[in-house]
Amino acid sequence: MIADAGFELAVADFERTLTPIVVGLAASVDGIDADALAGDVTREAFSIAAAVIDSDGIRTDSELWSLLGVFGARLGGDLLRATPDDLRASDLVVGRVAWLDTPSSMLDLLVRYDARHATAHARTYHDKATAIAFATAAVDPYTTEEELKAIDRFRRTMAGAGAAATGDGPGVPSGPASAADASATAPDAAAADELPPARPLEELMAELDDLIGLDAVKAEIRLVADLIRVQNLRAERNLPVVEQSRHLVFAGNPG
């Protein structure tokens, strides 16, 4: 079984980041097995990926082989010997899309802990879980609209539970750190004033969602933004990218 490299990295990052958080939250509870909690984090990652794969009802061989390649050794058991046809005949993937529409027990635990201790663990969960969802959608060259809509619903489910995005992201300029840094870029100061640093996508999308009405337009913009993110993930891994139009036409009266 060959696992998609980006998919593997997203799952490993989820495990590496969330496991110490979950174990730390349970440290004060007697009788809690830290190894079992680590397994719970892995199973959470599996549920996210399986739900995205199930969302369009297609469940391709490449998606299922990647799922087995990433989680077979981690979860063991029947997954080590399973094939895509085995998964299609089981409830490990089939029917899992509904998982995206209800906050998990783990997310609920993190949200409640954040409320009591002013931490931001639920936001961390949101970002790492979203990364798994997009990495899963990027396994196949063609990402369906159903998959993109499922990921959007998943993010809304997490936000509704109290987990918002951090707003941070790679490649976002952070501005000069000191007066010396600012003077070093003096020749381009005028251009910098005209072109402020790019804002994080999640922040822009949140601002869009705050506008009243335009629900259909908002949904279309989210789909296009999510598709671009999936295609960028594939391009970063030198995988084939499906060329699609990025143009939008807004019709109707002004405002």
Side-chain angles (χ1 to χ4, degrees):
M1 293 179 288
I2 300 176
D4 178 271
F7 187 18
E8 165 68 36
L9 287 173
V11 171
D13 191 34
F14 184 89
E15 292 174 319
R16 182 172 54 252
T17 307
L18 270 298
T19 298
I21 292 175
V22 173
V23 171
L25 298 189
S28 60
V29 180
D30 294 334
I32 295 294
D33 184 353
D35 291 336
L37 288 175
D40 288 342
V41 173
T42 299
R43 282 184 285 274
E44 189 89 354
F46 178 88
S47 294
I48 296 167
V52 173
I53 290 173
D54 183 52
S55 62
D56 60 2
I58 299 175
R59 312 178 197 99
T60 66
D61 278 358
S62 57
E63 289 175 325
L64 297 177
W65 277 126
S66 289
L67 189 72
L68 292 168
V70 169
F71 290 101
R74 283 175 163 89
L75 298 178
D78 292 340
L79 283 181
L80 281 173
R81 300 177 296 277
T83 67
D85 284 340
D86 293 330
L87 291 182
R88 293 187 187 100
S90 73
D91 59 359
L92 289 175
V93 174
V94 178
R96 295 299 291 270
V97 63
W99 192 92
L100 300 175
D101 299 321
T102 303
S104 70
S105 299
M106 183 175 295
L107 176 58
D108 181 63
L109 170 66
L110 296 175
V111 169
R112 288 189 285 110
Y113 187 90
D114 287 345
R116 292 195 301 269
H117 301 281
T119 50
H121 298 321
R123 291 207 303 267
T124 300
Y125 177 103
H126 173 286
D127 294 346
K128 304 304 180 183
T130 301
I132 290 178
F134 277 108
T136 305
V139 168
D140 278 337
Y142 180 76
T143 303
T144 66
E145 183 174 333
E146 289 79 6
E147 288 175 316
L148 297 175
K149 288 181 176 179
I151 293 174
D152 190 52
R153 291 202 317 274
F154 181 40
R155 287 185 298 191
R156 289 174 174 274
T157 295
M158 291 188 287
T166 61
D168 299 326
V172 179
S174 56
S178 64
D181 293 331
S183 63
T185 59
D188 297 324
D193 289 339
E194 296 175 6
L195 299 173
R199 294 165 61 192
L201 178 60
E202 294 287 357
E203 179 183 317
L204 294 172
M205 296 305 291
E207 187 174 303
L208 175 66
D209 284 340
D210 286 340
L211 297 176
I212 297 174
L214 302 174
D215 291 341
V217 174
K218 294 176 186 176
E220 190 66 26
I221 290 175
R222 286 196 299 270
L223 284 177
V224 172
D226 289 348
L227 178 59
I228 292 172
R229 177 169 176 174
V230 170
Q231 295 299 320
N232 286 344
L233 287 174
R234 291 187 60 82
E236 289 170 5
R237 306 201 295 272
N238 296 317
L239 297 173
V241 175
V242 177
E243 293 297 329
Q244 293 179 315
S245 173
R246 306 281 194 260
H247 300 293
L248 296 176
V249 176
F250 297 92
N253 296 326

